Amino acid sequence: MPELPEVETVVQSIRDKLIGNEFENIEIRWPKVLFNFSKEDFLNTLINRKIQRVDRRAKFIIIGFDDDILAIHLRMTGKLYFQNNLSQKKHISAIITMNNGGYFIFEDTRKFGRFYYYNSQDYLNNKLGIEPLSNEFNDIWLKNILHNKKRMIKALLLDQNIIAGLGNIYVDECLWKSNIHPQTVSNKIPFKNILILCKEIKSTLQSSINAHGTTVVNFTFLNGQSGKYSDQLNIFGKEGRPCPRCSQTIKKKKIAGRGTHFCPKCQIKRN
DNA sequence: CCATGAACCTGGTCGC
DNA sequence: TGCGACCAGGTTCATG
């Protein structure tokens, strides 16, 4: 499911209910949900400890205790929310009982989402690429990466080890905004397009966060409210419709293993 | 180093 | 209405 703006939206929606509170118990309904630790580990290490912080790193939700963290990845269909009682919903992977009596629910239709436990956030920080909304991510940094690699730009932008947080929707949108064909080899992209790409990555992600993310199918947060960025999409999901810039018919094709939307007229491949 | 396809899961949609 | 094929916001692993 979610990319950076959607994960950020989830973090903002659960932060205040978690910070200062404690986990009291956990019920596991899909055993694989705990990736690198067991229910006993959870009970032994995370119960009755005050939650210090709730943050986002890339597409991970970080629940911080002291140095150690519970990291949650929603993958395609994961949802996190609070409830006052246990529901009989079908696809619940885990339920955490809170010290204040509420239930912290992880619902996940496709069951790809996972909980991870780490002694510190260093492991994730070392593995993941740069945060695109940080100041370190700028046009010079991006130019160096693109020009030092010979890689299809769409695959490069989706690679979480390089830039962390972009996914299929925002890559398609940002490549369209900067007139770059998704199959362009990264070191063939002119600097003037890289400048636009850098700027559009930041502004697209920030606009989407401001709109509480994109709802494609039924992504929801906080009791079913939907993200409003869907209204601002130009190219994603618009196959067969006219390009908002040049009116050419938008095409969809499998690129880098993902359904990819682009305008064949104004996104030029220069390989 | 890079590209591709399968795997992990369930459900929705489309064509016949 | 029913059924099979294909698709889905992500990531990882094997293979060439």
Side-chain angles (χ1 to χ4, degrees):
Chain A
M1 164 198 66
E3 308 178 37
L4 187 155
E6 292 75 34
V7 176
E8 181 64 32
T9 299
V10 171
V11 164
Q12 290 174 15
S13 76
I14 61 176
R15 178 180 281 141
D16 289 349
K17 292 199 172 81
L18 286 173
I19 291 181
N21 285 313
E22 301 171 3
F23 295 154
E24 217 162 62
N25 200 356
I26 187 168
E27 179 190 341
I28 303 297
R29 295 195 180 176
W30 179 252
K32 290 184 185 175
V33 72
L34 302 185
F35 181 79
N36 62 344
F37 66 120
S38 68
K39 177 179 175 178
E40 285 63 43
D41 295 333
F42 187 99
L43 295 174
N44 288 333
T45 59
L46 294 179
I47 293 302
N48 298 325
R49 291 176 61 200
K50 191 175 279 188
I51 294 168
Q52 305 292 337
R53 64 185 182 94
V54 179
D55 294 311
R56 178 191 59 74
R57 172 71 171 97
K59 299 174 190 169
F60 286 89
I61 293 152
I62 309 291
I63 298 174
F65 290 85
D66 294 315
D67 284 342
D68 56 335
I69 61 170
L70 176 67
I72 301 175
H73 200 302
L74 305 173
R75 282 311 209 305
M76 300 285 266
T77 54
K79 297 180 178 70
L80 281 174
Y81 53 89
F82 287 92
Q83 260 182 199
N84 292 324
N85 40 39
L86 292 169
S87 74
Q88 350 295 334
K89 284 205 178 165
K90 204 171 172 187
H91 304 293
I92 306 296
S93 286
I95 300 176
I96 297 176
T97 308
M98 302 299 298
N99 61 329
N100 58 16
Y103 296 102
F104 184 40
I105 314 276
F106 184 46
E107 180 182 343
D108 186 16
T109 305
R110 290 179 69 182
K111 299 181 166 69
F112 293 165
R114 295 290 182 269
F115 287 10
Y116 306 80
Y117 176 76
Y118 297 115
N119 291 319
S120 86
Q121 200 177 310
D122 293 348
Y123 175 80
L124 287 180
N125 287 341
N126 293 335
K127 198 175 71 150
L128 293 164
I130 196 167
E131 283 287 329
L133 291 176
S134 69
N135 292 331
E136 291 71 37
F137 179 79
N138 57 41
D139 40 31
I140 303 299
W141 184 93
L142 188 57
K143 178 185 91 72
N144 286 336
I145 286 288
L146 298 200
H147 285 181
N148 286 328
K149 302 212 177 253
K150 287 193 244 226
R151 209 170 153 192
M152 205 189 300
I153 186 65
K154 169 130 185 174
L156 191 155
L157 294 178
L158 285 172
D159 188 338
Q160 302 297 301
N161 300 302
I162 301 175
I163 301 168
L166 291 174
N168 206 30
I169 296 179
Y170 299 107
V171 167
D172 281 6
E173 290 292 316
C174 292
L175 288 175
W176 177 81
K177 289 176 178 178
S178 41
N179 294 71
I180 299 168
H181 189 285
Q183 284 177 305
T184 310
V185 176
S186 57
N187 68 344
K188 302 287 188 192
I189 301 174
F191 186 52
K192 70 172 172 32
N193 294 272
I194 297 178
L195 286 172
I196 300 169
L197 179 61
C198 182
K199 182 170 68 74
E200 293 297 348
I201 287 173
K202 286 178 185 285
S203 67
T204 300
L205 293 175
Q206 190 56 57
S207 299
S208 183
I209 290 172
N210 295 345
H212 303 301
T214 300
T215 299
V216 172
V217 184
N218 54 0
F219 168 75
T220 57
F221 61 96
L222 264 193
N223 304 323
Q225 301 170 54
S226 297
K228 292 283 184 284
Y229 192 76
S230 319
D231 302 341
Q232 297 176 56
L233 294 176
N234 292 288
I235 196 110
F236 188 89
K238 310 286 189 187
E239 181 190 14
R241 298 178 47 184
C243 169
R245 193 163 43 208
C246 76
S247 299
Q248 179 76 228
T249 302
I250 293 168
K251 291 269 182 281
K252 183 177 178 186
K253 182 180 171 187
K254 189 168 177 173
I255 295 173
R258 313 294 300 277
T260 300
H261 311 76
F262 63 100
C263 171
K265 186 173 174 192
C266 55
Q267 286 172 270
I268 304 305
K269 212 192 310 184
R270 320 155 211 264
N271 299 332

